Amino acid sequence: MTYRPFHIFGEDRPARWLVTCDHATNRVPPEMGGSLGIAPEDMARHIAYDVGAAGVALALAERLDAPFVMSDFSRLVIDPNRGEDDPTLVMRLYDGTIIPANRHIDVAEIERRLDAYHRPYHSALATLAARRPDTVILSIHSFTPQLRGRDPRPWHVGVLFGRDTRLTDPLLARLHAEPDLVVGANEPYGGHLEGDAIDRHAIKPGRLNALVEVRNDLIGTEAEQISWAERLAPILDAALADTEV
């Protein structure tokens, strides 16, 4: 089967939503030998991909009746949620792990990875986003409960946002109304980076958007991923209705 750097599901679904998952897999493309030189247990960690996020995103897209696009390469190969000039586009060291295949990477190899993986994913995302004028982009990520040497993260779910809070404000209000959830606003990270996927495909074109992060120890199984999708889908639809946009 021919390798592709992205996959699309439900391309013809009619909803305004477009669900994306930038860090869906820990795959290293076959032409790179399928390995970056780090241990399998490191490739199974959050440093290589957003554990559980793809399953949540796929199930959410089904429940929202929305198309879904996901990358199919590890963020350690090249990070699709970074702009092309971002210094963290290709990580040489991540959460204490040295990435041997990236340690001495040069400009030519970065450009090859941009052409082979990063740009095709963004082209597919742009095409789907343009399918209707009122597209709403929902980016699904996950975060680890604790980075090495850092404090534990108490949030179950976080919503990240930049200068456009038309959707994230009502979404946060509805999530905060859930009595059993610890919800982070721009936690565990700050808002969008200049040139990242949401900035590029939503904020700059003026599209409604939200980036949702779920703690990865809560979505380790398919059943947990489906459960979170079933919980989030009606909250997301209600928040979108709240915007009246």
Side-chain angles (χ1 to χ4, degrees):
M1 186 175 180
T2 303
Y3 168 74
R4 296 185 70 198
F6 64 87
H7 300 291
I8 296 170
F9 301 87
E11 185 172 2
D12 297 327
R13 291 174 185 156
R16 290 180 65 185
W17 295 102
L18 168 59
V19 181
T20 71
C21 190
D22 300 325
H23 301 141
T25 78
N26 59 357
R27 186 172 188 180
V28 179
E31 62 265 26
M32 293 183 63
S35 171
L36 297 171
I38 65 175
E41 54 265 32
D42 277 326
M43 286 303 294
R45 292 203 299 132
H46 70 97
I47 66 170
Y49 73 123
D50 280 0
V51 176
V56 174
L58 180 63
L60 256 176
E62 291 170 350
R63 284 152 183 80
L64 295 170
D65 205 16
F68 168 47
V69 59
M70 56 171 269
S71 66
D72 193 15
F73 52 93
S74 171
R75 67 163 136 237
L76 296 180
V77 172
I78 193 164
D79 194 331
N81 194 36
R82 295 293 183 270
E84 293 191 11
D85 59 352
D86 192 296
T88 64
L89 181 66
V90 179
M91 295 290 282
R92 294 163 173 81
L93 174 70
Y94 197 161
D95 195 22
T97 297
I98 294 171
I99 318 304
N102 297 344
R103 194 170 185 181
H104 303 295
I105 195 169
D106 58 18
V107 172
E109 175 59 12
I110 292 174
E111 186 67 21
R112 187 197 71 78
R113 295 186 195 183
L114 282 167
D115 276 342
Y117 318 123
H118 191 281
R119 288 170 182 152
Y121 171 69
H122 281 279
S123 178
L125 201 165
T127 297
L128 286 170
R131 79 196 193 286
R132 52 183 294 170
D134 59 350
T135 292
V136 181
I137 295 182
L138 173 64
S139 183
I140 300 298
H141 293 250
S142 72
F143 63 95
T144 186
Q146 186 173 15
L147 292 171
R148 289 177 177 174
R150 305 287 183 88
D151 292 335
R153 292 162 162 173
W155 310 282
H156 300 121
V157 61
V159 177
L160 274 57
F161 51 89
R163 63 180 180 270
D164 182 359
T165 63
R166 291 174 295 171
L167 177 57
T168 54
D169 282 348
L171 176 56
L172 280 164
R174 288 186 172 274
L175 287 170
H176 280 302
E178 299 284 307
D180 60 330
L181 290 184
V182 180
V183 180
N186 272 341
E187 299 287 0
Y189 317 107
H192 305 305
L193 299 171
E194 182 72 24
D196 73 2
I198 287 288
D199 182 63
R200 177 174 175 176
H201 297 285
I203 293 178
K204 285 177 178 166
R207 297 183 176 112
L208 290 176
N209 65 89
L211 191 156
V212 175
E213 295 255 7
V214 183
R215 206 175 69 206
N216 67 21
D217 62 323
L218 304 175
I219 51 172
T221 68
E222 182 179 5
E224 290 170 332
Q225 293 157 16
I226 291 171
S227 177
W228 269 89
E230 289 175 341
R231 182 171 193 174
L232 289 173
I235 293 173
L236 285 158
D237 269 337
L240 179 57
D242 290 342
T243 69
E244 299 183 350
V245 176

